[in-house]
């Protein structure tokens, strides 16, 4: 019975999704701190007292104040009071501390502040992202997790994405991506997606080529066992390939073949993301030829029976792009009845995409 329990626990450990893996992380509390006993001030004096203790000479006083503050910042009103007491400046000093507890709790406090709209504005004003970069290489996973959540929320805004780019986070995250845990990989990919979306068109293609982003993302998408990571990688590839330089690079780097295999993924989210990436790449003429040559067009046609409307929409648009190649156009004649059926789909976006694809397939010179 004991052996069976061990095998059951081992199996459960290998099937954790990223969010469950994150829940296994725990912070380190110093031995001389009892989290159940604290010297408190109440009401309006509570936050000023804790902030003043953070400036204490004694490390144990700083740790105690950080531990309690991390419990209080779940309340939006407390966040507002803490910002008024200039807590962000004090917390930013702890980010470079050699003490692990200080780094863990300071990054946790900033992560809690970033969940509040007023907190995000204050963090952007303080340019906290520029100070978080080195912590992505921290030896402690929990510190890195907190930092990723802070940057993820801040980079959803244009100002935050610009600050992340100026701090060199894109190059850093691409470099660290393959060696991280699944939950961190998923967060890094979301951050990168925010930066790609807000990037300057005249700067980003060169950066992506220098960092070999397509190679890294394709390798991650083809090898990862986590749907969230596969989807994130494919979505980043799709957004990168809006640039014509990266469409050409995708053909030269053989990005199409791994994406074609992902069209058969057992999760509809992964199929939709892979079809979306191929949709953007297939605007390139050489990409159309490669997809016909390697049989990926037939796989896209098989997705016309998919129940997921996002898969269906992306597959139809990818087929429309590839159909501009004359060899694909003739092979797609058999799909005309299916496309006509889809042109009457209840989802107007799917119906319009099917009508556009029919126009390309039926075109003759």
């Amino acid at each position: 019975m004991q052996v069976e329990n061990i095998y059951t626990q081992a199996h459960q450990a290998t099937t954790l999704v990223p969010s469950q893996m994150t829940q296994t992380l725990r912070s380190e509390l110093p031995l001389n701190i009892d989290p159940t006993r604290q010297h408190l001030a109440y009401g309006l004096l509570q936050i000023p007292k804790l902030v003043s203790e953070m400036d204490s000479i004694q490390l144990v006083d700083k740790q105690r104040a950080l531990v309690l503050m991390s419990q209080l910042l779940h309340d939006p009103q407390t966040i507002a009071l803490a910002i008024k007491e200039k807590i962000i400046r004090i917390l930013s000093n702890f980010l470079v501390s050699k003490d692990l507890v200080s780094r863990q709790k300071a990054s946790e406090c900033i992560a809690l502040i970033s969940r509040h709209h007023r907190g995000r504005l204050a963090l952007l004003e303080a340019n906290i992202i520029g100070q978080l970069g080195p912590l992505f290489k921290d030896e402690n996973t929990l510190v890195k997790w907190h930092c990723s959540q802070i940057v993820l929320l801040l980079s959803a805004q244009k100002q935050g994405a610009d600050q992340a780019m100026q701090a060199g986070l894109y190059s850093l995250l691409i470099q660290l991506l393959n060696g991280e845990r699944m939950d961190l990989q998923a967060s890094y990919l979301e951050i990168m997606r925010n930066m790609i979306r807000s990037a300057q068109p005249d700067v980003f293609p060169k950066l992506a080529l220098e960092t070999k982003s397509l190679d890294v993302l394709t390798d991650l998408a083809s090898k990862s066992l986590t749907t969230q990571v596969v989807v994130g990688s494919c979505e980043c590839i799709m957004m990168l390939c809006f640039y014509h330089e990266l469409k050409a690079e995708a053909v030269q780097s053989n990005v199409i073949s791994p994406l074609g295999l992902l069209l058969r993924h057992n999760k509809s989210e992964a199929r939709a993301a892979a079809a979306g990436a191929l949709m953007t790449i297939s605007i390139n003429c050489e990409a159309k030829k490669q997809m016909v040559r390697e049989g990926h067009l037939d796989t896209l046609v098989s997705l016309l029976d998919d129940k997921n409307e996002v898969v269906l929409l992306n597959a139809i648009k990818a087929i429309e792009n590839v159909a501009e190649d004359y060899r694909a156009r003739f092979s797609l004649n058999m799909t005309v009845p299916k496309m006509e059926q889809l042109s009457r789909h209840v989802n107007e976006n799917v119906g319009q995409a099917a009508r556009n694809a029919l126009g390309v397939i039926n075109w003759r010179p």
Side-chain angles (χ1 to χ4, degrees), residues 238-302:
M238 179 182 71
M239 297 181 72
L240 285 172
C241 289
F242 286 141
Y243 301 103
H244 68 272
E245 299 97 330
L246 292 167
K247 289 185 181 70
E249 178 66 19
V251 176
Q252 296 177 5
S253 301
N254 197 27
V255 172
I256 293 175
S257 298
L259 291 176
L261 296 176
L262 289 174
L263 293 175
R264 302 181 184 275
H265 200 280
N266 61 341
K267 296 292 185 179
S268 60
E269 298 93 333
R271 296 196 298 272
L278 287 172
M279 175 185 68
T280 57
I281 296 172
S282 59
I283 296 175
N284 181 278
C285 293
E286 292 300 320
K288 303 180 201 292
K289 297 176 183 178
Q290 183 178 346
M291 290 180 65
V292 174
R293 188 167 58 248
E294 296 183 358
H296 302 309
L297 181 59
D298 297 333
T299 309
L300 286 171
V301 171
S302 69

Side-chain angles (χ1 to χ4, degrees), residues 115-173:
R115 297 178 185 178
H116 192 274
H117 173 68
R118 185 173 176 182
R120 288 193 292 274
L121 294 178
L123 291 171
L124 288 172
E125 183 179 354
N127 193 16
I128 197 70
I129 293 179
Q131 303 175 55
L132 293 175
L135 292 182
F136 281 94
K137 292 184 177 181
D138 196 278
E139 59 185 14
N140 185 262
T141 304
L142 189 58
V143 174
K144 292 189 286 187
W145 170 253
H146 288 153
C147 290
S148 69
Q149 295 308 293
I150 297 166
V151 178
L152 177 58
L153 289 172
L154 296 182
S155 63
Q157 303 181 39
K158 179 70 167 63
Q159 182 182 356
D162 291 342
Q163 289 180 3
M165 288 294 295
Q166 292 170 5
L169 283 190
Y170 182 85
S171 301
L172 178 62
L173 294 182

Side-chain angles (χ1 to χ4, degrees), residues 65-131:
L66 284 168
V67 170
L68 183 55
M69 185 64 78
S70 67
Q71 298 170 11
L72 296 176
L73 285 175
H74 290 274
D75 181 5
Q77 186 175 0
T78 303
I79 292 176
L81 291 172
I83 293 173
K84 188 176 180 180
E85 295 295 327
K86 304 187 184 304
I87 193 175
I88 294 176
R89 175 187 59 80
I90 298 173
L91 291 174
S92 64
N93 294 332
F94 284 110
L95 295 177
V96 295
S97 173
K98 294 183 179 179
D99 177 56
L100 176 57
V101 177
S102 299
R103 295 199 310 277
Q104 282 185 341
K105 288 303 174 181
S107 59
E108 181 181 352
C109 288
I110 296 174
L112 292 171
I113 292 172
S114 69
R115 297 178 185 178
H116 192 274
H117 173 68
R118 185 173 176 182
R120 288 193 292 274
L121 294 178
L123 291 171
L124 288 172
E125 183 179 354
N127 193 16
I128 197 70
I129 293 179
Q131 303 175 55

Side-chain angles (χ1 to χ4, degrees), residues 192-219:
M192 290 166 55
R193 187 172 56 196
N194 289 342
M195 287 191 281
I196 296 170
R197 185 183 64 245
S198 302
Q200 296 295 329
D202 57 338
V203 174
F204 203 83
K206 182 179 179 182
L207 176 61
L209 290 172
E210 289 175 350
T211 55
K212 300 187 182 298
S213 298
L214 289 178
D215 292 339
V216 174
L217 293 168
T218 304
D219 183 61

